[in-house]
Amino acid sequence: MRDITMIPYWKNLYCVLLAVLTGVPGLGAKVQISWTGEVTAGFSTTFTCSSSCFPNCIYTWSFKGRTVEGNTLTWTPDGRDSTVELNCFVFNPETKLTSVTTSILSIKNPVSVQISPPNTVPSRNQPLDLVCHVAKSGELQGPIDLLWYKDGQKVTLNENMQLQQNNHTLHFDSLLPSNAGFYHCETSLQQTRVSSLGYLLSFDPWNVSISGPDVVFPGRQSQFTCLTSCTLNVQCTVKWQFKGGFPIGTYFSVHNNELKWTPSIPGTFQNFTCVAENAAAGLSASATKMVEVKGIPVSGSEVMQLHGLFAMILSLGMVVLFDS
């Protein structure tokens, strides 16, 4: 016999579960960050945090370990970051609730170190110029306070090196093996010190390879690592490409040079390509690895899991409401 007295209770619980899943207006403020134009190193940008929380709400910005009060924020990037996570917190003193939104800012850097003449391949015992350059403005002009750095340290001039054109050009009479390294310049734009994109001065090509299994199995997670002879996030950055199609599976993640994958379809092949590059220097190297998926399908592929989870939620409500 059905327990009719339990139905209203479970109906209420079911509605609460749906409310948690879908969200209920009024429980938290809708928050949005907006700004105009590109975020560029050396130039200020004003960000506005708006929300449905009013009046007397308290706004707090959080980014790069700093906190700033108010619903507007004016910030000038210094060129040291290519991306920055910007958070806006809104506190409602009446409800005691805090809402937050996050924007990932892509920072454009107009200052870079470029080789001169362009497309020159650095060679031992040959002359070379590195020029501190500003996009759209050409080379820096005038007696600007400009500093050169190699591998994070101020450049120490050797007998084969000279600073020319008000320090804007770092000239090498004849390249030595000791001149190899990662160079960047630091100058002022709009009264803000800006660190440029860098240039890797190298005489040898980078070596790139991918470690990991050649054969993987459905339902079993495998890890692949891009191994490079260049220093990650200093001399080069790494990105993954998937020639022939994106990996299909129940789990997939990429963090810097590490890739984790749980395949789901046996009898298939997957190509992984790792590219190490320094875009400012125009240098890159890559490696490709083909992986075979062997075995039989496991119950709970990504499609089955998605539909199964949805069906389970619905069936849970039906069981609670109608089971005796």
Side-chain angles (χ1 to χ4, degrees), residues 217-234:
F217 300 90
R220 185 184 304 174
Q221 185 179 111
S222 298
Q223 177 172 313
F224 303 87
T225 304
C226 182
L227 304 175
T228 66
S229 59
C230 53
T231 305
L232 291 181
N233 300 320
V234 176

Side-chain angles (χ1 to χ4, degrees), residues 224-250:
F224 303 87
T225 304
C226 182
L227 304 175
T228 66
S229 59
C230 53
T231 305
L232 291 181
N233 300 320
V234 176
Q235 296 176 328
C236 65
T237 58
V238 161
K239 64 181 180 182
W240 292 88
Q241 297 177 346
F242 310 104
K243 300 176 180 179
F246 194 82
I248 298 175
T250 58

Side-chain angles (χ1 to χ4, degrees), residues 171-229:
H171 173 77
F172 299 87
D173 294 323
S174 179
L175 286 172
L176 303 174
S178 59
N179 296 139
F182 187 76
Y183 290 83
H184 77 273
C185 60
E186 184 181 286
T187 187
S188 295
L189 290 180
Q190 303 288 319
Q191 299 181 342
T192 299
R193 297 296 295 179
V194 175
S195 181
S196 75
L197 298 174
Y199 177 86
L200 176 65
L201 177 56
S202 174
F203 306 109
D204 301 312
W206 295 336
N207 293 318
V208 180
S209 61
I210 300 175
S211 67
D214 296 323
V215 176
V216 296
F217 300 90
R220 185 184 304 174
Q221 185 179 111
S222 298
Q223 177 172 313
F224 303 87
T225 304
C226 182
L227 304 175
T228 66
S229 59

Side-chain angles (χ1 to χ4, degrees), residues 221-222 247-254 259-263 302 305:
Q221 185 179 111
S222 298
I248 298 175
T250 58
Y251 181 82
F252 179 83
S253 71
V254 170
L259 183 154
K260 296 180 180 179
W261 179 43
T262 303
E302 72 283 354
Q305 284 186 341

Side-chain angles (χ1 to χ4, degrees), residues 51 91 116 162-164 198 240 257 269 279 315:
S51 75
F91 174 70
S116 180
Q162 303 172 26
L163 288 174
Q164 300 177 348
W240 292 88
N257 64 326
F269 292 85
S315 64

Side-chain angles (χ1 to χ4, degrees), residues 70-83:
N71 71 318
T72 61
L73 167 71
T74 300
W75 176 54
T76 304
D78 60 9
R80 299 182 183 275
D81 303 289
S82 58
T83 58

